Amino acid sequence: MLSGSRIFAVNHKKISSLNINNVCCSKIRASLKRLKPHVPLGRNYSSLPGLIGNDIKSLRSVLSPPAAKIRNIGIMAHIDAGKTTTTERILYYSGYTRSLGDVDDGDTVTDFMAQERERGITIQSAAVTFDWKGYRLNLIDTPGHVDFTVEVERCLRVLDGAVAVFDASAGVEAQTLTVWRQADKHKIPRICFLNKMDKTGASFNYAVESIREKLNAKPLVLQLPIGEAKTFKGVVDVVSKEKLLWNANSDDGKDFERKPLLEMSDPELLKKTTEARNALIEQVADLDDEFADLVLGEFSENFDLLPAEKLQTAIHRVTLAQTAVPVLCGSALRNKGVQPLLDAITMYLPSPEERNYEFLHLVCLQTATGDTIVSSKSSALAAARRAEREGEKKHRRNSEAERLLLAGVEIPEPVFFCTIEPPSMAKQPDLDHALKCLHREDPSLKVRLDPDTGQTVLCGMGELHIEIIHDRIKREYGLETYLGPLQVAYRETILNSVRATDTLDRTLGDKRHLVTVELEAKPIETASVRPVIEYADSVSEDLLKASQEAIENGIHSVCLQGPLLGSPIQDVAITLHSLMIHPGTSTTMISACVSRCLQKALKKADKQVLEPLMGLEVTVTKDYLSPVLADLAQRRGNIQEIQTRQNNKVVIGFVPLAEIMGYSTVLRTLTSGSATFALELANYQAMNPQDQSTLLSQRRGFT
Ligand SMILES: Nc1nc2c(ncn2[C@@H]2O[C@H](COP(=O)(O)OP(=O)(O)OP(=O)(O)O)[C@@H](O)[C@H]2O)c(=O)[nH]1
């Protein structure tokens, strides 16, 4: 579903230089304010060339560098891969901060929310701007937890490039796949950083292979690690054939030495690097014709003579074309490998000039997430015209459609809901205001009113999501609210085709309202959250013109609340077979008649509850595999595969969401805290008759 795509015009000349910078400027300000007492922040321009005396021109280029010198990038990964730690090191080495923040100490710049610092996780993306060797970098650290996927999505759509961070001991993990797919969708050029090379079990080759196999990507190995796990001490730059060693006694990793590999001192490493470089040259030549011509023409006899810059330029082109991904490695926590990563960002990821965006996204005006801001009134009109044209040819995929992706964020349907109550009735308006603001910022949070009880209902992406919203209402809006029990968002469908007829005949004042409707509801194979509405040929087109909106409103309102649990109805088609409307009948009466007729039909149908089925990936050491499997069997889990990942076992399968509530606590107890897991909505599946009748009895209060 696309969130409403509103378009605003602002008067900015340089879209490119403003792009990410403004995404979260309110959040950056928040982080600066909170950190001031103990972390002296601020940009350090001293490393930039050209800032001499009153040289206004160069000062201007420092404050607003040419677009070719800008990199708008994001950092994305599976939870806990080390995005925030890597970002902290990047900020420190660039001179943006003067001390190293630590996730585990809760004093990082980009995890600025109290909840992020307490839990050591990223919840909201944060943007920071800093400079590196004459380049201006606008960087967004995104969340890794699946509950905050929308946050990742809204960032990816405005990025020019991304760094995918991996835990080198785990390679590609469940959420890596999700964010990788999101980046594919938005066509974002990427580089991979294999982090945690210092960790026990870290394996460069394993992680590279997992990129090749699981992400179906072509890794370009630009570095080789020197040592692994405890012995990791640096990297070899394959392109320049140099070794980069970090001083073991340096506590911040600022100092490292870069030396050419020599036959005399490093014969083995040199041999390995030459082989890797030759393989890299062949790989890039296969993907880039211009480079292939160069290599075959001048350097076919001896690849050693090929200058590093020529190879780097070709790697840049290949990265931009997204036919391959450069791979680097390091250990952010041990302060190794981050400076070369920064060099690679400037060297291989594209500038805004190389990307083709017309829109820019500014969230902190009176806009909502998903709105688009354009540079002038005429481009707003052009965008609106295109959006209109796009609406007409909804299903046709073409390049225009792809460019319009910026105009909306794809919001997944929430899987959990619970009621929320203010401390007193007098505080209800304050709660409504808080929820309105939070929803504007985070469209994956849905708020609705329960029509039976009048209670406010929060719908979210997961337990953590709802917990964080509850906490934010308390901290940011000063409201102590009460949450009802967390409930799974079920869906409903029908199993057979049913027909019904209804007539509504009412006289209000001196006006007669008379409608007769005959319709059919039937199940459909294709998954569709909204009902498919069809009209039989016998229905008069003229009649339809005047009443179609009222008819569809009537159908949609019934499908939002199914007859079994009051959950939305999906995978159904409604066909209107006949329609008779007395002249002067109001549209409200038409809607009411259609609703009543559809309710009648649904009552007759065999009905089915659909429950959210989660894809589950549990990473556990061999010793704890049996208890984890036994526990999953009790939770109606369906195990698809058990993979071996280094010293760990990875259990991959499906489990109904209703069975996995509070799983983190159970898993921690079962495995003494050694296992990790990732959950993601896979689809909605039919409940078996026994489970369905137990659920229905529970809901009706019989058990
Ligand atoms: N051994 C080792 N641990 C690391 C490294 N980088 C990060 N960590 C640890 O991994 C944990 C997660 O690090 P974060 O930087 O919060 O990871 P993240 O990807 O930002 O996490 P989320 O945003 O919550 O998904 C923390 O305990 C870090 O100290 C590394 O290079 N080596």
Side-chain angles (χ1 to χ4, degrees):
M1 187 174 82
L2 286 184
S3 73
S5 47
R6 300 187 292 164
I7 297 170
F8 297 81
V10 290
N11 186 15
H12 286 311
K13 283 188 189 134
K14 278 203 169 177
I15 297 178
S16 52
S17 61
L18 280 164
N19 207 350
I20 308 289
N21 220 351
N22 293 293
V23 170
C24 299
C25 62
S26 58
K27 291 170 193 163
I28 302 168
R29 272 200 296 277
S31 68
L32 291 174
K33 215 163 117 194
R34 283 170 211 197
L35 286 172
K36 235 174 193 160
H38 59 287
V39 184
L41 296 174
R43 285 177 215 155
N44 176 5
Y45 296 116
S46 57
S47 60
L48 289 166
L51 189 60
I52 314 159
N54 290 335
D55 189 339
I56 299 299
K57 207 169 158 201
S58 53
L59 178 62
R60 230 182 252 142
S61 74
V62 167
L63 296 176
S64 178
K69 292 275 182 186
I70 293 174
R71 295 292 178 272
N72 294 320
I73 57 153
I75 301 225
M76 56 185 219
H78 181 83
I79 189 161
D80 274 358
K83 296 174 294 296
T84 306
T85 309
T86 307
T87 307
E88 282 304 312
R89 272 42 182 183
I90 285 177
L91 295 181
Y92 180 69
Y93 299 133
S94 69
Y96 184 96
T97 54
R98 300 203 184 120
S99 64
L100 280 172
D102 195 314
V103 179
D104 304 311
D105 295 341
D107 61 354
T108 61
V109 173
T110 50
D111 281 355
F112 55 84
M113 280 167 69
Q115 293 93 334
E116 295 180 312
R117 292 179 163 210
E118 281 165 16
R119 293 162 194 256
I121 57 165
T122 305
I123 294 167
Q124 266 188 0
S125 321
V128 274
T129 298
F130 57 90
D131 299 309
W132 179 254
K133 297 186 181 172
Y135 285 82
R136 169 71 42 86
L137 272 73
N138 298 307
L139 179 146
I140 300 185
D141 178 22
T142 64
H145 197 286
V146 69
D147 281 17
F148 309 109
T149 295
V150 168
E151 192 65 19
V152 181
E153 176 97 14
R154 81 176 176 125
C155 296
L156 284 175
R157 56 205 274 281
V158 295
L159 298 178
D160 296 323
V163 176
V165 177
F166 298 74
D167 175 340
S169 70
V172 173
E173 297 176 85
Q175 185 70 359
T176 327
L177 271 166
T178 308
V179 290
W180 195 268
R181 277 197 299 263
Q182 283 175 308
D184 277 343
K185 188 171 102 189
H186 293 281
K187 300 194 167 25
I188 312 268
R190 276 144 271 182
I191 52 185
C192 299
F193 180 61
L194 307 183
N195 188 35
K196 304 199 183 183
M197 283 302 300
D198 63 298
K199 196 175 156 187
T200 311
S203 166
F204 181 79
N205 290 341
Y206 172 80
V208 171
E209 273 320 300
S210 75
I211 291 173
R212 198 189 314 278
E213 280 170 23
K214 295 192 182 164
L215 300 179
N216 215 2
K218 292 198 175 82
L220 300 176
V221 174
L222 304 192
Q223 290 178 343
L224 297 175
I226 306 178
E228 252 170 11
K230 275 193 182 145
T231 61
F232 177 68
K233 51 180 187 282
V235 298
V236 168
D237 183 332
V238 172
V239 177
S240 64
K241 296 216 279 191
E242 291 170 318
K243 64 175 178 181
L244 283 69
L245 290 175
W246 274 261
N247 181 350
N249 299 323
S250 157
D251 55 2
D252 67 0
K254 251 187 179 165
D255 301 323
F256 63 96
E257 62 176 22
R258 183 185 270 274
K259 279 187 181 166
L261 285 172
L262 298 175
E263 183 66 49
M264 287 237 298
S265 47
D266 294 297
E268 274 306 306
L269 204 51
L270 181 61
K271 186 167 170 262
K272 217 172 138 189
T273 307
T274 305
E275 282 167 12
R277 191 175 193 266
N278 291 348
L280 178 66
I281 291 172
E282 282 174 16
Q283 205 182 353
V284 176
D286 272 349
L287 299 168
D288 186 273
D289 290 346
E290 193 181 329
F291 184 66
D293 289 345
L294 177 84
V295 172
L296 291 175
E298 293 178 48
F299 305 101
S300 57
E301 297 299 316
N302 188 353
F303 284 174
D304 281 347
L305 298 177
L306 179 82
E309 301 76 52
K310 300 271 184 205
L311 181 53
Q312 282 157 351
T313 310
I315 294 171
H316 175 83
R317 280 199 301 269
V318 168
T319 310
L320 186 58
Q322 293 156 62
T323 44
V325 279
V327 178
L328 297 100
C329 65
S331 163
L333 190 67
R334 306 282 165 228
N335 310 318
K336 296 183 176 80
V338 176
Q339 297 93 330
L341 173 65
L342 274 164
D343 292 338
I345 289 170
T346 58
M347 217 179 301
Y348 303 122
L349 289 180
S351 73
E353 280 182 334
E354 293 169 293
R355 304 270 293 157
N356 195 11
Y357 288 137
E358 284 177 20
F359 304 122
L360 86 140
H361 183 72
L362 284 165
V363 168
C364 50
L365 300 177
Q366 273 301 313
T367 63
T369 298
D371 290 346
T372 297
I373 295 187
V374 295
S375 59
S376 68
K377 214 172 165 184
S378 59
S379 46
L381 285 174
R385 272 198 299 273
R386 272 178 33 203
E388 211 172 278
R389 279 204 304 274
E390 211 47 47
E392 284 164 15
K393 46 182 178 178
K394 253 189 228 158
H395 302 297
R396 221 189 303 157
R397 285 200 140 259
N398 58 14
S399 58
E400 282 284 290
E402 277 153 20
R403 289 171 71 191
L404 265 173
L405 271 179
L406 253 183
V409 182
E410 209 166 302
I411 313 291
E413 288 297 317
V415 288
F416 273 122
F417 68 92
C418 67
T419 54
I420 181 164
E421 304 261 1
S424 65
M425 285 308 284
K427 293 280 181 193
Q428 183 69 43
D430 295 347
L431 175 60
D432 293 344
H433 169 72
L435 290 173
K436 200 170 156 192
C437 295
L438 288 167
H439 168 69
R440 190 186 292 151
E441 214 180 285
D442 171 8
S444 67
L445 170 75
K446 303 254 166 74
V447 183
R448 63 178 170 83
L449 211 63
D450 186 312
D452 298 329
T453 62
Q455 285 174 302
T456 307
V457 180
L458 276 187
C459 310
M461 304 305 298
E463 288 176 274
L464 184 61
H465 187 203
I466 291 196
E467 210 180 295
I468 297 289
I469 293 292
H470 184 217
D471 202 27
R472 287 188 66 186
I473 292 171
K474 185 174 167 191
R475 292 187 202 227
E476 294 170 30
Y477 297 88
L479 278 175
E480 186 75 63
T481 52
Y482 305 102
L483 293 186
L486 208 55
Q487 302 198 38
V488 172
Y490 292 97
R491 301 264 175 86
E492 300 177 23
T493 193
I494 54 173
L495 299 172
N496 54 341
S497 186
V498 275
R499 264 190 193 232
T501 310
D502 204 349
T503 297
L504 186 145
D505 187 355
R506 210 167 283 168
T507 304
L508 295 176
D510 56 354
K511 234 179 175 186
R512 187 173 180 203
H513 302 266
L514 174 64
V515 197
T516 299
V517 172
E518 185 187 356
L519 53 74
E520 181 186 6
K522 58 174 184 256
I524 50 170
E525 290 285 321
T526 35
S528 166
V529 183
R530 289 167 73 80
V532 175
I533 303 175
E534 294 158 346
Y535 297 93
D537 291 343
S538 52
V539 178
S540 138
E541 268 191 32
D542 287 344
L543 207 54
L544 210 52
K545 228 181 231 167
S547 58
Q548 187 166 350
E549 199 181 330
I551 293 168
E552 298 192 356
N553 284 343
I555 292 175
H556 287 303
S557 70
V558 171
C559 289
L560 281 177
Q561 286 204 297
L564 285 177
L565 293 168
S567 307
I569 298 178
Q570 70 170 45
D571 310 341
V572 291
I574 313 294
T575 310
L576 191 79
H577 285 287
S578 79
L579 175 70
M580 195 281 291
I581 303 174
H582 186 269
T585 301
S586 76
T587 50
T588 317
M589 291 299 169
I590 299 170
S591 287
C593 182
V594 171
S595 294
R596 216 169 63 177
C597 184
L598 181 55
Q599 276 165 345
K600 224 170 170 183
L602 294 175
K603 215 170 186 180
K604 289 196 263 176
D606 294 332
K607 292 169 278 290
Q608 171 72 58
V609 174
L610 303 172
E611 63 177 338
L613 184 69
M614 308 303 284
L616 172 73
E617 192 177 298
V618 185
T619 307
V620 58
T621 53
K622 282 182 205 128
D623 311 346
Y624 292 111
L625 181 63
S626 303
V628 167
L629 290 178
D631 175 67
L632 284 175
Q634 283 181 7
R635 294 171 187 273
R636 295 192 278 137
N638 174 0
I639 307 303
Q640 302 282 301
E641 188 182 357
I642 300 174
Q643 294 178 352
T644 302
R645 186 181 288 165
Q646 308 288 343
N647 298 324
N648 289 327
K649 292 286 178 193
V650 182
V651 180
I652 297 171
F654 297 102
V655 62
L657 178 64
E659 302 288 345
I660 206 87
M661 277 153 104
Y663 188 59
S664 52
T665 315
V666 175
L667 190 66
R668 206 177 304 132
T669 315
L670 277 177
T671 65
S672 307
S674 64
T676 58
F677 76 103
L679 270 182
E680 190 180 13
L681 179 68
N683 55 40
Y684 276 79
Q685 73 166 5
M687 278 186 108
N688 71 42
Q690 203 185 338
D691 293 334
Q692 174 166 324
S693 78
T694 312
L695 175 73
L696 293 177
S697 309
Q698 273 170 1
R699 287 293 175 96
R700 288 173 195 142
F702 293 148
T703 55

